[in-house]
Amino acid sequence: MASFESSMSFKSNCSSSLPPLLAAANYTTIPSPLSELTQLHNENTLLNNPSELSSWVDSLLTEFNQPTSINNITAWNDYNTTSYCNIRQIIEEDSSIRLVHVLMSCADSVQRGTLSVASALLEELQVLLSRVNSEFGFGKVAAYFIDALSRRVFKPLERSLGSAFENEVLYHHFYEACPYLKFAHFTSNQAILEAFDGQACVHVIDFNLMQGLQWPALIQALALRPNGPPTLRITGIGPVSLDGHDPLRETGLRLAQLARSVNVRFAFRGVAASNIDDVKLWMLQVDPKEAVAVNCIMQLHKLLDDPSRIDSVLKLIHSLDPKIVTLVEQDTNHNQPDFSDKFREALDYYSTMFDSLEACKGPQKWLAEIYIQREICSVVCCAEMHEPLAQWRERMSRNGFTSVCLGANAYKQANMLLTVFSAQGGYRVDESEGCLKLGWHNRPLIAASAWRPNPRL
């Protein structure tokens, strides 16, 4: 499936703009043996009049279902299976192109506040969706965006998309199904390992513990240090539990058991916080003798609704005087004032994300897709925003941090990881001014960077 390109622009009032849409979507007409229909409907007529194309296909399919004489049956047998598949492909491609057009028109209506128009367009989108296969390809992506727009229009105050426990389960399946979170963990661990070189007491502060999936690899790597492992302390920050069980404690016990098995002296502290800017310095109990690393995997963007909240968290991190700060975020701009621009960028970004998932295998991949679907809803409903790497660079520099180059080892490990997920290629890692980006073909999707605080004056 070809991803929706961000360079395409759509206006809700351009009813005659189908040919550019077709060209942008790499749409081509397919030769048909139906010569008598070709004489009546030449290529230009079909392309310039999509309603006539739909009418022609509908009438043709109706004829397939009508009772026919022996002569007619003989005539229809001349049209082979390939021709029928071509007709179906025309229907799918035409409907997919119009799905993009109507999705953007609906987003324009939401931006203008004409919700009655948006509601009518959502009904049209459901009709178009019924003409494509919504189990894979762009049909699946479109279905998720239609659902997100419906929530935005009809349930604008409903922000919750599941419990913290559900989100952790989906996070785990997303971690297993595709390389994005593993890339984030591998590159961050390598930067932390290098920053801890020669340190006897080390302390990792993780702003998004999420079952501690990142830390077994670091514990094992520290255990193999030539001069022996350091004393390791991990402070894991996670959401407040509302269902009786204590996931932070459970994760800490599992990590302690692993550390004991490889002879690493270990301590764990869990910090429950509804938002990461609720964390205070006294909660972290940092010892001045410890070398500190701060790990922020896809968390800071959750504070973009108020940039001062991010500045507050970065000020806290700076006060810890860490050896390293690892930062991984989605490399896209979903924080634009114009909702139509934001929606177009999201459609491009998540179309590419689902393209990349098609290359991954696994029986539970559908749960990873639900994880992404919830993220789409959060973005479209403006509950979640993302910014590209360039803007994070500027923000980190403004708050007194200097970039640390992610070295050759991190680059090599990232590329080795990708061979596990897609033997045919498609995933790629690119270096950008000391940072690493993971993407699908030429479209970067997430960016990893490392930072250290500027020396105190």
Side-chain angles (χ1 to χ4, degrees):
M1 179 196 75
S3 299
F4 174 82
E5 295 293 340
S6 59
S7 60
M8 293 195 295
S9 62
F10 302 95
K11 303 295 180 181
S12 58
N13 61 352
C14 55
S15 59
S16 63
S17 62
L18 188 61
L21 288 172
L22 289 169
N26 296 320
Y27 182 93
T28 56
T29 56
I30 302 170
S32 170
L34 309 179
S35 57
E36 68 280 9
L37 290 172
T38 304
Q39 292 171 3
L40 294 173
H41 302 275
N42 61 49
E43 179 178 303
N44 290 332
T45 301
L46 291 176
L47 291 180
N48 290 318
N49 194 339
S51 62
E52 187 173 354
L53 172 60
S54 297
S55 300
W56 164 56
V57 174
D58 289 342
S59 64
L60 185 59
L61 293 179
T62 300
E63 279 194 69
F64 269 116
N65 295 324
Q66 288 179 348
T68 56
S69 66
I70 296 298
N71 290 336
N72 286 338
I73 292 173
T74 303
W76 278 119
N77 283 340
D78 292 337
Y79 305 127
N80 57 30
T81 303
T82 302
S83 299
Y84 183 78
C85 291
N86 288 345
I87 295 168
R88 278 304 192 195
Q89 186 173 350
I90 290 173
I91 297 172
E92 287 264 346
E93 292 183 348
D94 176 62
S95 296
S96 295
I97 292 162
R98 284 197 274 172
L99 268 172
V100 173
H101 181 74
V102 181
L103 278 168
M104 289 309 307
S105 296
C106 189
D108 289 341
S109 298
V110 170
Q111 179 181 310
R112 292 193 301 268
T114 54
L115 298 186
S116 59
V117 176
S119 177
L121 289 171
L122 283 168
E123 291 182 11
E124 183 178 348
L125 284 166
Q126 292 293 349
V127 173
L128 288 171
L129 190 63
S130 68
R131 298 176 183 170
V132 302
N133 189 334
S134 59
E135 297 299 317
F136 68 94
F138 183 72
K140 177 182 287 186
V141 179
Y144 290 157
F145 273 88
I146 292 169
D147 176 66
L149 281 170
S150 297
R151 288 175 180 268
R152 175 71 186 262
V153 172
F154 299 116
K155 300 177 182 178
L157 300 180
E158 184 179 302
R159 294 296 181 92
S160 176
L161 291 171
S163 67
F165 176 74
E166 287 177 354
N167 291 332
E168 284 200 15
V169 171
L170 294 176
Y171 181 95
H172 179 81
H173 286 287
F174 182 64
Y175 174 87
E176 293 293 343
C178 54
Y180 297 107
L181 291 176
K182 285 186 172 69
F183 165 83
H185 292 174
F186 281 25
T187 53
S188 297
N189 280 353
Q190 184 63 39
I192 292 170
L193 192 63
E194 293 173 5
F196 282 169
D197 186 37
Q199 302 293 327
C201 296
V202 298
H203 184 180
V204 175
I205 299 172
D206 185 0
F207 273 85
N208 185 31
L209 186 63
M210 293 300 278
Q211 304 173 27
L213 296 173
Q214 180 171 348
W215 304 121
L218 180 70
I219 292 172
Q220 291 169 332
L222 290 173
L224 297 175
R225 284 204 329 191
N227 297 325
T231 298
L232 170 64
R233 191 151 70 95
I234 293 180
T235 296
I237 300 167
V240 177
S241 176
L242 301 176
D243 52 10
H245 80 291
D246 189 348
L248 291 174
R249 181 176 180 276
E250 293 167 5
T251 298
L253 290 173
R254 287 196 300 271
L255 293 175
Q257 184 178 18
L258 171 64
R260 186 164 51 250
S261 70
V262 293
N263 298 316
V264 173
R265 295 181 298 277
F266 180 81
F268 178 85
R269 177 178 174 79
V271 175
S274 299
N275 300 292
I276 60 173
D277 56 331
D278 293 334
V279 177
K280 308 303 179 185
L281 180 62
W282 63 267
M283 299 177 181
L284 304 177
Q285 299 185 357
V286 174
D287 188 323
K289 298 178 182 179
E290 296 173 327
V292 175
V294 177
N295 190 62
C296 299
I297 305 294
M298 297 180 184
Q299 283 299 294
L300 290 182
H301 73 265
K302 296 180 180 180
L303 306 179
L304 282 172
D305 60 328
D306 182 0
S308 66
R309 298 174 68 195
I310 298 181
D311 293 342
S312 174
V313 171
L314 292 178
K315 182 178 179 180
L316 168 66
I317 293 173
H318 199 287
S319 71
L320 300 172
D321 194 25
K323 293 289 184 181
I324 197 79
V325 178
T326 51
L327 175 65
V328 181
E329 288 288 349
Q330 292 89 341
D331 190 24
T332 184
N333 191 359
H334 298 150
N335 189 23
Q336 304 181 56
D338 187 297
F339 179 74
S340 294
D341 291 340
K342 175 180 179 175
F343 186 87
R344 182 182 294 109
E345 175 71 10
L347 192 57
D348 175 31
Y349 181 84
Y350 290 106
S351 293
T352 307
M353 179 71 76
F354 273 97
D355 270 352
S356 71
L357 275 179
E358 293 295 329
C360 300
K361 307 298 181 185
Q364 302 300 315
K365 189 171 71 173
W366 64 277
L367 289 168
E369 293 174 350
I370 294 176
Y371 177 86
I372 303 175
Q373 179 192 13
R374 291 190 174 186
E375 192 172 286
I376 290 171
C377 280
S378 294
V379 169
V380 172
C381 294
C382 296
E384 186 168 345
M385 290 161 273
H386 305 127
E387 288 186 346
L389 175 61
Q391 289 176 246
W392 286 109
R393 275 202 187 105
E394 190 278 331
R395 180 175 284 108
M396 295 297 288
S397 298
R398 189 177 67 244
N399 281 277
F401 292 88
T402 298
S403 178
V404 176
C405 180
L406 293 171
N409 287 334
Y411 182 82
K412 290 177 183 177
Q413 285 192 14
N415 276 291
M416 289 175 61
L417 168 69
L418 300 188
T419 61
V420 176
F421 283 91
S422 179
Q424 294 77 29
Y427 289 107
R428 58 181 290 175
V429 177
D430 292 309
E431 189 276 338
S432 175
E433 298 180 42
C435 305
L436 295 180
K437 294 185 176 187
L438 172 60
W440 180 249
H441 294 292
N442 295 322
R443 176 53 157 109
L445 295 172
I446 67 171
S449 57
W451 304 83
R452 63 169 176 264
N454 295 332
R456 294 173 178 172
L457 299 177

